[in-house]
């Protein structure tokens, strides 16, 4: 009998954006389950739904790497949809005060160029570098570059430039 007893009713989270019926309990005295149902889920679940829509829009499930950072989106969404900020305007992620403070102490590495460029932009960039490389391999171009280098060395162009700027600085006439 104990092995095949009727299953207990499963927990069902509240509908998106709705709090459970009844008065909200005191957040400092209620059970963890009540706290989740009344204070966390009504805010977090719509944010997660918005996150899933954004993931579909950014095609994150179709590509291995994307520039979309889900935690950034969720942070921005939760901050802007906070009930305490009802009448305030939209705030971008990097303008949120606690995000600014965090990034001062923990700066992010730059986003790789491969994530910033579209496939078309990346192919144009690669093709232009390749064409430049092929042109620089041409014997006539190499000869021209050697001649230019020799000319710079003969004319002491570095000294000429240094003297020019020293003269400009002495006049106080620079930029």
């Amino acid at each position: 009998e104990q092995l095949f007893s009727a299953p207990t009713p499963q927990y069902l989270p509240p509908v998106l954006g709705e709090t459970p019926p009844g008065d909200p309990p005191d957040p400092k005295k209620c059970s963890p389950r009540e706290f989740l149902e009344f204070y966390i889920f009504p805010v977090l679940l719509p944010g997660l739904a918005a996150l899933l829509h954004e993931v579909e829009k950014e095609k994150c499930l179709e590509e291995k790497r994307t520039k979309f950072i889900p935690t950034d989106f969720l942070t921005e969404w939760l901050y802007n949809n906070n009930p305490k900020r009802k009448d305030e305007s939209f705030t971008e992620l990097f303008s949120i005060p606690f995000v600014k403070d965090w990034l001062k102490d923990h700066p992010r590495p730059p986003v790789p160029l491969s994530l910033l460029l579209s496939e078309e932009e990346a192919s144009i960039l690669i093709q232009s570098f390749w064409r430049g490389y092929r042109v620089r391999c041409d014997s006539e171009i190499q000869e021209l570059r050697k001649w230019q280098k020799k000319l710079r060395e003969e004319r002491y162009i570095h000294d000429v430039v240094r003297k020019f700027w020293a003269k400009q600085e002495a006049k106080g006439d620079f930029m």
Side-chain angles (χ1 to χ4, degrees):
E1 287 178 24
Q2 292 176 355
L3 293 176
F4 299 106
S5 60
T8 57
Q10 285 191 324
Y11 169 73
L12 296 174
V15 177
L16 296 181
E18 291 184 9
T19 56
D23 294 331
D26 180 11
K28 295 182 180 177
K29 296 179 181 177
C30 65
S31 70
R33 180 178 176 166
E34 289 175 322
F35 186 81
L36 287 172
E37 288 177 353
F38 278 90
Y39 298 102
I40 303 296
F41 289 153
V43 176
L44 183 60
L45 291 179
L48 291 175
L51 175 64
L52 289 174
H53 288 294
E54 195 68 21
V55 162
E56 286 178 352
K57 182 176 146 189
E58 294 286 335
K59 299 179 182 173
C60 295
L61 303 174
E62 298 171 14
E63 299 176 19
K64 285 186 178 180
R65 296 176 52 199
T66 65
K67 63 183 175 184
F68 181 71
I69 303 173
T71 53
D72 287 356
F73 175 84
L74 193 58
T75 301
E76 184 179 275
W77 192 94
L78 288 170
Y79 183 80
N80 286 307
N81 290 289
N82 184 342
K84 294 178 182 176
R85 294 189 75 248
K86 279 182 190 174
D87 300 328
E88 295 182 35
S89 62
F90 178 83
T91 306
E92 216 173 62
L93 176 73
F94 297 111
S95 299
I96 298 173
F98 66 85
V99 174
K100 280 183 182 178
D101 294 341
W102 174 261
L103 291 176
K104 282 180 193 171
D105 298 331
H106 308 89
R108 288 184 170 186
V111 178
L113 190 58
S114 62
L115 295 179
L116 296 176
L117 298 175
S118 68
E119 280 190 36
E120 183 179 340
E121 292 169 327
S123 64
I124 290 171
L125 192 63
I126 291 168
Q127 289 169 7
S128 65
F129 274 106
W130 177 250
R131 283 192 299 271
Y133 170 76
R134 295 297 300 156
V135 166
R136 287 187 298 275
C137 287
D138 186 4
S139 60
E140 289 181 3
I141 300 297
Q142 285 183 356
E143 185 180 332
L144 176 65
R145 293 179 76 191
K146 286 178 187 175
W147 177 80
Q148 287 175 329
K149 182 179 179 183
K150 184 179 172 190
L151 185 64
R152 278 193 302 270
E153 290 170 356
E154 287 175 0
R155 292 189 179 177
Y156 303 105
I157 191 69
H158 298 294
D159 293 334
V160 172
V161 170
R162 194 175 317 113
K163 287 176 187 174
F164 170 79
W165 283 112
K167 206 183 293 182
Q168 293 299 319
E169 288 175 357
K171 289 182 191 176
D173 207 20
F174 59 97
M175 292 187 209

